[in-house]
Amino acid sequence: MTGGPSDVSLEHLLRDLTPQVLGTVVRRFRDFEAAEDAVQEALVAAARQWRRKGLPNDPCAWLTKVAFRRMVDQIRSESARRRRESRTAEEAVPAQELSAIEPPPQEDDTLTLLFMCCHPSLTTASAIALTLRAVGGLTTAEIAHAFLVPETTMAQRISRAKQTIKSSGVPFQQPTPEEKMQRLRAVLHVIYLVFNEGYTSSAGFALRRDDLSHEAIRLMRMVHNLQPGEPEVTGLLALMLLTDARRLARTGAEGELIPLAQQDRTLWDRQEIAEGIALVSEAFSKGSAGPYQLQAAVAALHDEAARVEETDWPQILALYDLLKRMSDNPLVSLNHAVAAAMVHGAAAGLKLLDGLEADSRLAQSHRLDAVRAHLLELSGDRASAVKLYRAAATKTENLRERNYLLFQAARLSVEPQHSDEQK
Amino acid sequence: MKYMLMMAGTKREFESYLKLSKEELQAQVAFMRSFAKELGDSGVLVLTEGLAFPGQAKLVRAGSNGEPITDGVFPESKEFLAGFWIIDVESPEEAYKIAARASAAPGPKGRGTMPIEVRPVMDRAPEEWQ
């Protein structure tokens, strides 16, 4: 072989192989923490050797073998220590037996690993960190950086997550068929949250966290490869691609938010849109329609409109009608009201917003005020819109959103504000 | 040595922030962005965050059973933290210089003179006690 692979392609390859190898090692040795260390060592060894000598014929088998060997070494030295300490050899695993084990990788190992990392006994933050590390193959430092927390904090979070898995006795096995959908939903939710973290980019004054969105898409492709027949898996991957496609158009030169209606659609990623639309069609061809699929279908309709005026609002409204019946998500109700306003006029949308304050999840949220402001503006009631844009600005917990809302208020208030001051 | 630079305002000041004109707002946002970037690029920035409006603030006390008791009503005159920077610099003078720049952040009617509270972070090396 002549020359090794480039650093970037090598890094990608290693990260792609990580969950498969780790899953296989955990399945065999049942010790998640030790397995992770062993796989990390195998990855370091691979990075060093492959860069110099080129790739082995079967990189996955190579890594698995090295990780197995590390595990065996570790068990051997531990049992040797125990022998020295207890002077009894009986409990030690015979070395011969261990070295004879051939690592048989199984397709489902990655998926089992995901189920384990997204186990309901973990907090959401722990599940996210563990998934990015064990399945995504990111380093603790990278994860800490992405979430803007100190590395020691993230290391502790991951270590506690492993502890929880150990102490709650989460088995490394596929869930039962009855449990499977529920557990799969937990996995999708975790990946969706990772995507959102990158998408909303809530951090600080300027930082973008697009990398997290891309990581979520990569993980989702992995899940989709493993479960191509699950329409909601296909739906979520489609939703992410169709949303990510608008990434470049979503923020301006100064980092300001640009709403869908004002985005430069030539900046949208046609390739991601095409892939997303194909996936949506594929998911719907299976005859069912879950929440992710429906949201993906809405995203597809937006992405298909070359100009905002061409948006198929009646179709979007119909999809939100379905979503509303299916889920108790108040954000769906808000989007439904916007769609209704676009089809039947602002008054119809505003009417749908009435009463939503009663929902405690919306009462303190800036979103209800922001949507109402937007619809009031459409209806021509600028003064009320200004008030509500400002009210929303005092409630949001995202700096860029706040700036956006204040800009809306400033834009509309040029005249009313002067007359206020004269009073 | 680390310092925390705190920008605070009364409810009235927060309300006037809500009424900034488009140009004032633009200048303010651009300043905060480039200021943070500059501090970051020059290697002195540890952390900076802006905080949500005071309406989102809650005062929390432990009840007799240890459960949180939250309170959201604050007097008009109280000052609320709006945002902060933690910087790591060579001298207090350097910290004051940076604080002065933060103080001059654009606000209503152009250049601001927001007071910035500068406090040392307690991470200095301890001295040997005799």
Side-chain angles (χ1 to χ4, degrees), chain A residues 204-206 253-255 364 390 393-397 402-403 406-407 409-411 417, chain B residues 17-22 25-26 29-30 32-33 36 48-53 56 85:
Chain A
F205 285 108
E254 290 294 318
Q364 281 311 307
R390 285 178 182 159
T394 69
K395 292 179 186 170
T396 179
E397 292 169 12
R402 183 163 86 196
N403 291 338
L406 288 177
F407 272 116
R411 178 176 55 78
Q417 201 182 325
Chain B
Y17 186 77
L18 283 180
K19 294 183 180 164
L20 290 183
S21 73
K22 208 175 155 197
L25 201 55
Q26 231 144 20
V29 170
M32 285 302 177
R33 203 175 133 86
T48 175
E49 298 286 359
L51 303 184
F53 260 63
Q56 300 297 95
W85 299 261

Side-chain angles (χ1 to χ4, degrees), chain A residues 193-208:
Chain A
L193 290 177
V194 173
F195 180 80
N196 268 343
E197 193 67 35
Y199 173 72
T200 50
S201 194
S202 56
F205 285 108
L207 278 167
R208 290 174 79 122

Side-chain angles (χ1 to χ4, degrees), chain A residues 45-332:
Chain A
R48 215 172 22 224
Q49 251 191 60
W50 300 357
R51 194 171 287 139
R52 268 188 297 118
K53 298 187 185 167
L55 297 181
N57 284 336
D58 185 346
C60 186
W62 191 99
L63 282 168
T64 313
K65 210 166 211 165
V66 173
F68 263 60
R69 213 175 292 150
R70 300 266 191 248
M71 287 299 283
V72 171
D73 286 349
Q74 201 182 320
I75 293 167
R76 268 202 201 123
S77 68
E78 220 163 84
S79 64
R81 180 179 58 78
R82 230 180 289 141
R83 256 198 312 276
R84 280 196 305 275
E85 284 167 2
S86 65
R87 302 269 167 221
T88 54
E90 286 88 350
E91 51 181 313
V93 188
Q96 226 108 54
E97 192 189 304
L98 272 175
S99 53
I101 298 160
E102 267 301 303
Q106 279 177 17
E107 264 286 291
D108 281 348
D109 285 342
T110 302
L111 197 60
T112 313
L113 191 66
L114 258 170
F115 282 131
M116 189 168 164
C117 293
C118 301
H119 195 271
S121 69
L122 296 170
T123 63
T124 313
S126 298
I128 287 174
L130 201 57
T131 301
L132 287 174
R133 162 125 190 167
V135 188
L138 293 178
T139 65
T140 304
E142 286 169 328
I143 303 168
H145 184 74
F147 285 91
L148 298 175
V149 299
E151 193 179 336
T152 46
T153 305
M154 191 51 81
Q156 197 55 28
R157 195 179 291 175
I158 291 171
S159 143
R160 288 188 63 141
K162 288 180 191 165
Q163 217 51 51
T164 305
I165 285 183
K166 207 173 200 173
S167 63
S168 61
V170 174
F172 186 79
Q173 63 189 36
Q174 285 280 325
T176 61
E178 300 82 63
E179 277 180 340
K180 193 181 156 200
M181 261 333 283
Q182 196 197 344
R183 295 288 300 281
L184 191 57
R185 260 197 291 276
V187 170
L188 297 186
H189 185 61
V190 165
I191 300 177
Y192 184 61
L193 290 177
V194 173
F195 180 80
N196 268 343
E197 193 67 35
Y199 173 72
T200 50
S201 194
S202 56
F205 285 108
L207 278 167
R208 290 174 79 122
R209 292 194 278 179
D210 296 336
D211 284 354
L212 278 179
S213 295
H214 291 149
E215 184 56 26
I217 289 174
R218 199 179 72 89
L219 287 170
M220 219 34 236
R221 284 191 194 281
M222 203 184 274
V223 180
H224 182 243
N225 281 335
L226 294 164
Q227 297 281 295
E230 290 291 347
E232 276 293 85
V233 169
T234 312
L236 181 53
L237 177 58
L239 175 60
M240 288 179 174
L241 290 168
L242 291 164
T243 308
D244 189 62
R246 304 194 286 257
R247 179 168 33 91
L248 287 179
R250 203 165 43 228
T251 37
E254 290 294 318
E256 73 274 21
L257 293 180
I258 302 177
L260 195 50
Q262 280 146 40
Q263 288 176 13
D264 174 357
R265 296 179 179 226
T266 61
L267 293 175
W268 290 0
D269 186 326
R270 308 318 309 179
Q271 208 176 327
E272 272 187 311
I273 292 174
E275 190 187 353
I277 288 173
L279 287 166
V280 173
S281 319
E282 182 197 317
F284 275 98
S285 73
K286 304 229 161 67
S288 69
Y292 287 130
Q293 276 166 271
L294 290 171
Q295 289 175 71
V298 170
L301 287 169
H302 282 302
D303 288 2
E304 275 171 331
R307 298 182 312 130
V308 63
E309 298 79 15
E310 291 166 23
T311 309
D312 187 350
W313 286 107
Q315 185 80 14
I316 291 175
L317 180 59
L319 287 166
Y320 276 123
D321 268 327
L322 276 175
L323 259 170
K324 225 177 133 180
R325 258 177 264 156
M326 195 176 295
S327 78
D328 178 38
N329 183 343
L331 299 183
V332 169

